[in-house]
Amino acid sequence: MTTTTDRASGSAIDRFFKISQRGSTLGTEVRGGLVTFFTMSYIIVLNPLIIGTVKSGDGQFLGGGDTPNLAMVAATTALVAGLMSILMGVVANFPLALATGLGLNAVVAYSIAALPGMSWQDAMGIVVLEGLIILLLVTTGLRQAVFRAVPRELKTAISVGIGLFIAFIGLVDAGFVRIPASLATPVELGIGGSLGSWPLLVFVVGLFVAVILMVRKVRGAILIAIVSATVLAFLIELVGDLGAKSAENPAGWSLAVPHWPSGGIVAAPDFSLVGQFSLFGSVKSIGVVAVILLVFSLLLADFFDTMGTMVAVGGEAGLLDKDGNPPNTTRILVVDSIAAAAGGAGSVSSNTSYIESASGVGDGARTGLASVVTGLAFLLATFLAPLVQLVPFEAATPALVVVGFLMVTQITGIDWRNYEVAIPAFLTIILMPFTYSITVGIGAGIIMFVVLKVAVGKVREVHPFMWVTSALFVVYFLIGPIKAWLGI
């Protein structure tokens, strides 16, 4: 008996995506694309909770207004992810999906948009600039050169530090870690050192569900945990009517009170965020030196992940050549660079390639058709954006802790016996969560690396790129006194 999948062999779709040539089938590619979507679709919920709940330096939430518009951020997050995943599938024919980068969105929200004088439009303009610069580096072949300039341990430390930062954000946003009313210590556990509130129970349950499912290798573990915790939160609020957290009600929900959206869960998507960026507005707001450093910080955070991700996914799919490179490498990097700029243009932060794509590859995906399927699923999800109003921080933030853990596991790639790189790596890692700034961590690590190499007489081991970068970060850290000295 001839199946629909068998008849697809030799079709235009099969020839275009090389489905048969790569040992796959149409049905396998569709299934793999859907698996990838459900594995990474948590970003539709998490991105609004990260960038949609932080006021910019001018006191506005993303999209304008005095209150968050999470449904609008969710719809646009899904839109850009959908379009960029489809572009990756069609242009690069590689089973790699894209969406707003976790970690990158935290950089944009907490280290860029929140700066005094900055607006969200200015911050997203910096994201667009970063994407365009990466695209230029790819097309000129300089991306590999820059990749080699930063020591491997520092690259690893940046990822680990961002992981700790994301986990810390999750713990704080959930109320698991709080500033004590007495101010006796910088932070404390829960309310007065206790976890005695229903919202914190939701967080703990969500965290256990996510971790247990992940250990059991259940696909879509993060999404299942978010949905399960949200259902629990919805039932608790239905019975207990806890309301929002405040000084008078510390046991309430941290942000969104879980309730059924008044207009239902399906609605026409609001894409008003698209185009809300100012390419050079940040120069006027914070100065050209600060802008250069922020673009550089974003570039570092965004720069190296894609190369590692595409090699990891390509290896899982058996698509690497003898030198360990996936097919259409340049096209993959070009699309990823365009996605970074597109994320800024859509005001949802830089989009990047997702390692979660390996879940679809593990289910058999081998071609770009899987990415197209993932992209189409994201586009359909734009009509379900009101669902994010159901999700309180306590239900979503366990995912941040889990993602933070996954990023921290890279710490084994640092040689802690070599103090010349271990100490800069250590500073990079700890200062990100301790100063609530990814930029500070990167800057401190790079400066310390250069200083130590000079101190031990190994100046020749410092790449010229690192000299320039460390000098820029020195200016960045001293920008206040420098402005005062210049009378600015």
Side-chain angles (χ1 to χ4, degrees):
M1 180 178 178
T2 302
T3 65
T4 303
T5 300
D6 294 330
R7 288 196 300 268
S9 180
S11 67
I13 293 178
D14 179 81
R15 292 192 300 272
F16 181 84
F17 289 105
K18 302 180 180 179
I19 297 174
S20 300
Q21 182 178 328
R22 294 186 182 178
S24 185
T25 65
L26 178 61
T28 300
E29 295 301 307
V30 171
R31 186 177 67 248
L34 290 175
V35 168
T36 294
F37 168 75
F38 284 112
T39 305
M40 61 185 286
S41 56
Y42 62 84
I43 193 62
I44 302 175
V45 176
L46 283 187
N47 194 44
L49 292 178
I50 294 175
I51 68 172
T53 59
V54 176
K55 285 187 177 181
S56 58
D58 62 359
Q60 297 290 306
F61 286 103
L62 183 58
D66 298 326
T67 57
N69 190 336
L70 302 186
M72 178 171 63
V73 181
T76 313
T77 297
L79 172 69
V80 178
L83 294 177
M84 292 301 101
S85 295
I86 291 172
L87 188 66
M88 178 66 78
V90 172
V91 172
N93 192 22
F94 196 66
L96 194 61
L98 302 94
T100 299
L102 274 175
L104 294 171
N105 54 3
V107 176
V108 174
Y110 296 97
S111 296
I112 299 179
L115 290 174
M118 285 286 283
S119 69
W120 273 108
Q121 291 87 346
D122 296 339
M124 291 303 171
I126 287 178
V127 176
V128 175
L129 283 173
E130 179 256 342
L132 294 176
I133 291 172
I134 289 186
L135 180 60
L136 178 64
L137 292 175
V138 171
T139 55
T140 57
L142 291 176
R143 187 168 190 175
Q144 291 80 352
V146 177
F147 183 82
R148 290 190 295 268
V150 179
R152 177 180 57 82
E153 286 84 356
L154 278 184
K155 298 171 191 172
T156 301
I158 291 169
S159 293
V160 172
I162 291 176
L164 280 180
F165 186 47
I166 289 175
F168 187 59
I169 289 172
L171 294 171
V172 170
D173 286 349
F176 192 87
V177 172
R178 307 188 190 203
I179 299 174
S182 65
L183 300 180
T185 56
V187 292
E188 68 175 2
L189 173 68
I191 306 171
S194 170
L195 298 179
S197 75
W198 288 109
L200 287 179
L201 173 66
V202 170
F203 171 80
V204 172
V205 169
L207 182 60
F208 272 108
V209 171
V211 170
I212 290 170
L213 292 180
M214 185 177 68
V215 170
R216 293 179 64 87
K217 302 187 185 303
V218 175
R219 293 190 179 96
I222 293 177
L223 181 62
I224 293 172
I226 292 175
V227 172
S228 302
T230 299
V231 171
L232 177 60
F234 183 79
L235 294 175
I236 289 174
E237 179 62 20
L238 196 63
V239 174
D241 192 20
L242 303 180
K245 183 174 71 175
S246 64
E248 296 76 24
N249 182 29
W253 303 101
S254 293
L255 176 69
V257 177
H259 61 82
W260 195 257
S262 56
I265 62 172
V266 178
D270 181 357
F271 299 138
S272 302
L273 282 178
V274 175
Q276 287 195 26
F277 70 96
S278 175
L279 195 59
F280 298 108
S282 54
V283 175
K284 183 178 179 181
S285 300
I286 58 175
V288 65
V289 173
V291 169
I292 290 173
L293 286 168
L294 289 174
V295 169
F296 173 73
S297 298
L298 261 187
L299 188 145
L300 272 185
D302 193 14
F303 195 82
F304 307 107
D305 285 348
T306 298
M307 302 190 78
T309 298
M310 71 179 186
V311 170
V313 172
E316 179 73 16
L319 296 176
L320 302 182
D321 61 20
K322 59 182 178 62
D323 297 319
N325 299 313
N328 302 321
T329 297
T330 300
R331 291 187 181 185
I332 294 171
L333 294 176
V334 166
V335 173
D336 186 84
S337 303
I338 292 172
S347 297
V348 292
S349 183
S350 178
N351 272 229
T352 189
S353 302
Y354 262 55
I355 191 62
E356 284 86 348
S357 303
S359 63
V361 169
D363 208 53
R366 295 292 180 270
T367 77
L369 180 58
S371 298
V372 172
V373 172
T374 302
L376 291 174
F378 269 115
L379 294 182
L380 289 174
T382 61
F383 294 93
L384 299 174
L387 274 176
V388 298
Q389 297 178 31
L390 272 172
V391 185
F393 265 151
E394 291 81 0
T397 48
L400 293 180
V401 178
V402 171
V403 172
F405 159 74
L406 293 174
M407 297 179 74
V408 168
T409 57
Q410 301 176 59
I411 200 168
T412 55
I414 299 172
D415 182 3
W416 295 103
R417 295 167 299 182
N418 182 358
Y419 287 179
E420 294 172 27
V421 292
I423 292 174
F426 175 71
L427 285 178
T428 299
I429 292 169
I430 65 167
L431 286 179
M432 287 187 190
F434 288 173
T435 64
Y436 226 63
S437 171
I438 293 170
T439 305
V440 168
I442 295 174
I446 288 178
I447 291 173
M448 181 59 74
F449 174 82
V450 173
V451 169
L452 289 180
K453 287 298 183 183
V454 172
V456 298
K458 297 181 180 179
V459 177
R460 292 185 178 181
E461 294 184 11
V462 181
H463 194 282
F465 177 77
M466 295 293 286
W467 283 107
V468 174
T469 304
S470 61
L472 287 172
F473 270 117
V474 169
V475 174
Y476 176 76
F477 288 132
L478 298 176
I479 195 68
I482 290 173
K483 283 185 174 181
W485 179 61
L486 295 175
I488 300 176

